[in-house]
Structures are given as structure tokens and as C-alpha cells.
Amino acid sequence: MPDLAPILPPATLGVLGGGQLGRMFAIEARRCGYRVAIYTDEPKGSPAGQVADLEFNGAYDNEALLHAFLDEVSVVTVEFENIPENCLRIAEARRPLRPGLRAIHTTQHRQREKEFLRANGIECAPFCIVSDELGLRQAVAELGLPCVVKTAAFGYDGKGQSKVEQGSDLGQVWSGFEGRSAVVEQWVPFVCEISVVGARAVDGSLAVHGVIENQHLHHILDLSLVPARVGAEVAQQALALWRAVAEALDYVGTLAVEMFVTAGGRVLVNEVAPRPHNSGHFSIDACLASQFGLQLRAICGLALADASPHSASVMINLLGDVWPDGNEPDWAAVLNQPWARLHLYGKAHPRARRKMGHITVLGEDLPQALERAQAIKRSLGMP
Ligand code: AMP
């Protein structure tokens, strides 16, 4: 029987994970008068820990520390999905875990996620699960080329992926996956990538930020454009897919679903994230309630807020590459613009490809926001 009493300030909210998503959640929660406790396997001073009331630093299998964290909190959520199952079990046995174990367990593993989508009739690219080179050969014969091989577990931002094309050496491709299982997916010749981010409340009500158009560079999100430049039919399919995922997972919290749009206007689910998402960051500055505001309301058992956009916007991801030779970029170029909002995540070391922050650029319409975003990118020396 779920605990339906709303959790109100100054209760302490627990977050598993110490990255930027936990940081932005903690800022939102503290603004409303909640306390926040972070549990992370990073050292003290994690991006989320810097702005939290309490930071517990230890391995996810440190049960004594985990219980000390659970002693402090009224509810537990996650800011990344790769949390060991046993840790989630311990948390769920003692406190409401939102989203719940089943939703996180399903979506933290690509094979389980794909099988869940298939079992629920939710459209995604055709796929096979393989565990050896022979299996890969059979999958390629069945799915055709090109296709993509992805590790079943713990892959993100294109890590642990390999594209197989006509003439690829399958033995060599498989050597990168040896000893693990993998998902082989048919290549989707998409015309654009989109996502839907929103939340489902304890009572099953829903709120979404609309459809987001995503552009990637080197497999990492570069820009998110809102509103997405898709027709009403595509938008409707995308929102219906998001809803189908949320309901089939009996989800509580903020949920992100990434999708492909084909030339024929079909929408296929690519990935599900059981948490706020990089492509939803625009919502902090461009929506009535943000993805973190929705997460807060959902996990506390409260009614959701209107999450629709009030402005067109473009979110620019800031990777470590933007720091020239490790030096701080010229933030005045951003902060002097009335229509730009800078978010930095408090990470000390700007390594290449590391997500260090983002900028939301607002506009009266998308062309204006896009033009402003391109100007900001140029001023920061971005490609
Ligand atoms: P993922 O880590 O699965 O989100 O994949 C990272 C990126 O690789 C996606 O955003 C796509 O640009 C590309 N990609 C992944 N799977 C496919 C596919 N089946 N067909 C075409 N492109 C893909």
C-alpha cells in the first residue's frame, strides 16, 4: 500500500546520485523550503552535494552509510539510473522510492528496457539480444545493415556502441563486447531526434513540457530546440508514446523519453530515462514549472503544476571543450545578454566532453532563439 500523505517542507528529500541533475533538483527543493540529502559515490563536494543540506559519500553497497542516509529522509529519488539494485531495494524497503524499483530496474538496462517496450507494444527499432559473435551474425542477417550494437548495461551518450555497416568485420566488432550481452538494433534513418519530458504524479495525473527537438554532436546532446519543428501528428505520436511508457511503468516522478522521427513521420522510442534529462533543462527558464519542479511535486505526492513553455528557447550544452586550455570562458558574453540564462554545475575540472553547464537562450519564436544561440556559440568559440 503506497504512502499517500503528501511530504511537505521542511521534510528532507533524499537523492541517490551527486551530479548536475541532483544539483538542479536540490536548488528547486531548497527554494521551496525542503531540506535535501545527497548520497553519492563521488568525493565530498559533488555538484549536488555543494548545494545540499547533507551529503553522504560512499559506495552504493555501503549498507551502514545507506541506512544513515535513509534515517534522515522522507522520500528517495534518483538523479541517475545506474544505481545497483540492492541499494534501490534497501531504499524502497524503508522509504517511498519514486520512481519505484521496477521503473528504475527496467530502464537502467538496455535489454530490459527494449524487452519492456516490445512487451507493451511501444514502437521502437527492431532489435535482437545477443551474447556471442554467432548471435551477432544471426542478428545482422535478421535485421539487415546498417545496424548498431549497444552494450546491454551501463551505456549512455553513445558509449559502448558500434555501428555495423556493409563490409564491417563482425569478429572485430564483437571483440569490443566480448563476455557481455548486447542489443543489436536496426539502424533508423531518422530525420530528427526528439524527446518528451514530463512527470506522472502518485495519483496518475500527468504534466509534460511538450516536444523537444535535439541535435547531437559526437553522440552528446548539443542543442535542444523548443518548440520542436515537427507537425501536429508527430507531436501527438510522441506525447502518446511518452504517456504509454509512463503508464506501463506505473511511474512516479520526472520521466524522459528520447525518440527518432523517420522521413515517413513515424516516431520510435530510442531511450527511456527514469529521471530529469539534459534535453529538459530548458524548462527551468522557459516553462511555467521546470522538470525539477515537477519531480519535486511528484515525489512528494503533490499535484503537478502547469509545465508548458512560456517562451521559445534553445538550450546549449556546455562541455569541457569550451574551456580553452582549461581557462574559464568569457561568461560576460553570456551574462550581458538579457535573453540568456547561464547554468554552471560546479565541476572543477573541465575535461573534454564532460557536461559542465548549459545556457538557455530565450526568444519570441524559435528562429529568433536559434539565431541568438548561434551568436552565443560563436562568442564562446564553439563549433
Ligand atoms: P543512445 O545512447 O542509444 O541514445 O544513442 C546515441 C545516439 O546514437 C542517438 O542519439 C542517435 O543519434 C544514434 N543512434 C542510436 N541508435 C540508433 C539507431 N538505431 N539508428 C540510428 N541512430 C542511432
Side-chain angles (χ1 to χ4, degrees):
M1 184 62 200
D3 182 0
L4 294 177
I7 296 161
L8 299 171
T12 303
L13 312 179
V15 182
L16 295 170
Q20 63 268 18
L21 299 173
R23 177 187 181 92
M24 289 180 267
F25 171 79
I27 290 169
E28 175 69 18
R30 293 191 69 178
R31 193 169 64 80
C32 300
Y34 289 96
R35 300 178 80 246
V36 177
I38 299 294
Y39 191 104
T40 174
D41 63 359
E42 289 185 56
K44 270 259 175 293
S46 65
Q50 289 168 23
V51 298
D53 296 270
L54 299 168
E55 184 180 22
F56 294 79
N57 306 83
Y60 290 107
D61 62 1
N62 181 340
E63 293 193 17
L65 191 66
L66 195 54
H67 280 291
F69 162 78
L70 293 168
D71 286 343
E72 297 288 339
V73 305
S74 300
V75 61
V76 179
T77 192
V78 298
E79 69 97 50
F80 85 125
E81 56 270 44
N82 292 332
I83 309 268
E85 185 179 343
N86 195 45
C87 172
L88 298 170
R89 276 190 197 289
I90 292 171
E92 192 166 61
R94 289 199 48 199
R95 295 287 182 260
L97 174 67
R98 294 172 177 160
L101 176 63
R102 185 177 147 254
I104 303 169
H105 185 250
T106 303
T107 53
Q108 71 180 186
H109 188 271
R110 212 184 284 277
Q111 175 178 344
R112 287 195 288 266
E113 181 175 301
K114 284 285 201 179
E115 286 171 341
F116 155 81
L117 294 171
R118 182 145 70 190
N120 286 279
I122 297 168
E123 284 232 76
C124 60
F127 67 94
C128 298
I129 309 298
V130 305
S131 53
D132 55 23
E133 190 186 323
L134 178 62
L136 174 61
R137 289 183 186 282
Q138 287 166 343
V140 167
E142 184 181 328
L143 299 170
L145 290 173
C147 56
V148 199
V149 191
K150 304 179 176 182
T151 52
F154 303 123
Y156 66 96
D157 286 344
K159 288 180 190 156
Q161 287 195 18
S162 185
K163 186 173 177 186
V164 183
E165 295 178 279
Q166 215 53 257
S168 292
D169 176 344
L170 293 182
Q172 198 184 348
V173 170
W174 185 255
S175 66
F177 295 86
E178 200 60 64
R180 292 179 287 171
S181 59
V183 177
V184 185
E185 255 177 51
Q186 201 169 73
W187 183 255
V188 180
F190 58 81
V191 289
C192 87
E193 293 188 77
I194 57 174
S195 56
V196 175
V197 179
R200 185 168 178 269
V202 171
D203 69 1
S205 57
L206 307 170
V208 292
H209 298 300
V211 182
I212 306 157
E213 177 180 341
N214 299 317
Q215 298 181 358
H216 296 82
L217 255 186
H218 311 297
H219 290 291
I220 303 176
L221 186 63
D222 179 37
L223 299 179
S224 288
L225 286 59
V226 178
R229 293 168 295 184
V230 296
E233 230 169 81
V234 164
Q236 238 169 32
Q237 280 183 66
L239 295 170
L241 286 170
W242 179 89
R243 182 181 183 139
V245 173
E247 290 179 345
L249 288 171
D250 192 19
Y251 199 86
V252 176
T254 290
L255 171 75
V257 180
E258 293 180 77
M259 305 169 211
F260 299 127
V261 182
T262 69
R266 265 179 79 204
V267 185
L268 304 174
V269 171
N270 173 31
E271 269 203 315
V272 177
R275 51 169 171 76
H277 192 256
N278 199 164
S279 68
H281 290 350
F282 80 98
S283 63
I284 300 173
D285 303 303
C287 292
L288 294 168
S290 76
Q291 60 172 346
F292 303 100
L294 293 182
Q295 181 183 21
L296 176 72
R297 284 163 171 264
I299 71 164
C300 290
L302 300 163
L304 299 178
D306 184 347
S308 43
H310 54 68
S311 303
S313 65
V314 173
M315 188 232 43
I316 306 168
N317 241 0
L318 296 171
L319 305 182
D321 313 61
V322 179
W323 275 243
D325 303 319
N327 296 319
E328 208 64 27
D330 174 19
W331 298 128
V334 182
L335 292 167
N336 274 327
Q337 302 296 351
W339 33 259
R341 305 284 183 274
L342 177 65
H343 300 254
L344 294 173
Y345 305 151
K347 297 183 184 178
H349 305 292
R351 288 193 301 273
R353 311 266 160 102
R354 187 175 196 208
K355 291 177 183 171
M356 298 294 290
H358 71 269
I359 300 165
T360 309
V361 176
L362 303 170
E364 277 169 30
D365 54 23
L366 186 60
Q368 185 184 52
L370 203 49
E371 200 173 297
R372 289 170 170 175
Q374 300 300 359
I376 289 266
K377 284 185 84 176
R378 277 194 300 277
S379 72
L380 292 173
M382 293 173 71

